[in-house]
Amino acid sequence: MNAVSVPVTVKMRLGWDGGSVNAPELAKRLEQEGAAGFCVHGRTGRQGYSGRADWQAVGAVVRAVSVPVTANGDIFSMRDLERCLSVVGAAMGMIGRAAMGNPFVFAGEEPDIPRRMEAAKRHFALLVLDKGEKTACLEMRRHLAWHIRGLPYAAHYRREVSSLSTAEDFEKLLRRIARETGGSG
Ligand SMILES: Cc1cc2nc3c(=O)[nH]c(=O)nc-3n(C[C@H](O)[C@H](O)[C@H](O)COP(=O)(O)O)c2cc1C
């Protein structure tokens, strides 16, 4: 880490598997090597996404080092974030899956369908600007599944998405979803 002049932070899980949880020791060694902070997902590699994130175990990393630790894993709302921070004793939390198709999570809001579809439209428009129409369409197939999570007919719309390849197709579908699920479109 001393090879670069910018601060380097490290993202890690708890360890390889339940028998080899070594995040606190590893973090300590990396801190000695100059790591400026850590983000710890409270699962082992072997766990994948199964079970629940072990926030207590993330707390052991907080106590092992003196640089900031960001807690991660199974934070799905602002209420979860507060609970997590108090269990972990960390200053910050990081939200992964709950942010997908749901930028509102950071404001602690649970928006109605029209606002969700507006967010999907804006996301798509920004993707087109950033990456061009072709790539935006490919990437939006995946993102749209998150934007419509929990909506009526979501499975049906997900199937339709896989055949869309132009910005116009997407915009049309987003308008239709808003209309058919009770939004304004
Ligand atoms: C689509 C997706 C991509 C991810 N990519 C990375 C990655 O490149 N590097 C990484 O360290 N973790 C990655 N993760 C894991 C998350 O950073 C996070 O540790 C994990 O999802 C647990 O947090 P969550 O319960 O809030 O989702 C990814 C997760 C998702 C869902």
Side-chain angles (χ1 to χ4, degrees):
M1 321 236 182
N2 297 323
V4 290
S5 58
V6 292
V8 176
T9 62
V10 179
K11 166 85 187 304
M12 57 163 79
R13 285 190 176 220
L14 297 177
W16 181 255
D17 59 26
S20 64
V21 169
N22 61 356
E25 292 78 13
L26 184 61
K28 228 185 270 183
R29 282 176 57 187
L30 289 165
E31 184 186 27
Q32 282 160 11
E33 295 300 321
F38 297 91
C39 174
V40 186
H41 177 188
R43 286 188 175 84
T44 64
R46 167 122 344 141
Q47 272 184 294
Y49 278 101
S50 67
R52 289 176 61 178
D54 183 346
W55 293 340
Q56 301 277 2
V58 177
V61 180
V62 174
R63 291 187 295 279
V65 296
S66 49
V67 292
V69 174
T70 303
N72 173 237
D74 293 354
I75 302 171
F76 295 108
S77 65
M78 286 301 116
R79 187 184 298 185
D80 288 346
L81 175 65
E82 279 171 18
R83 277 195 312 119
C84 174
L85 294 186
S86 73
V87 171
V88 174
M92 291 175 284
M94 190 182 90
I95 294 178
R97 289 166 296 170
M100 297 182 71
N102 180 24
F104 304 97
V105 70
F106 299 103
E109 293 173 6
E110 288 181 18
D112 56 14
I113 295 172
R115 277 191 72 210
R116 288 179 61 184
M117 291 306 98
E118 277 309 311
K121 268 191 227 170
R122 181 161 155 71
H123 185 178
F124 181 61
L126 290 171
L127 258 184
V128 172
L129 277 180
D130 190 32
K131 303 196 170 175
E133 180 172 352
K134 191 162 170 236
T135 306
C137 288
L138 288 173
E139 292 192 4
M140 199 63 191
R141 291 180 185 180
R142 185 162 45 95
H143 289 297
L144 196 70
W146 294 92
H147 280 288
I148 63 178
R149 193 169 25 166
L151 259 57
Y153 324 119
H156 166 78
Y157 296 127
R158 265 199 310 275
R159 276 193 297 277
E160 275 192 45
V161 163
S162 60
S163 62
L164 302 186
S165 55
T166 68
E168 203 188 331
D169 287 344
F170 267 99
E171 282 150 13
K172 253 193 226 159
L173 178 65
L174 287 171
R175 276 199 299 274
R176 223 184 79 217
I177 295 174
R179 207 170 50 239
E180 291 174 356
T181 56
S184 64

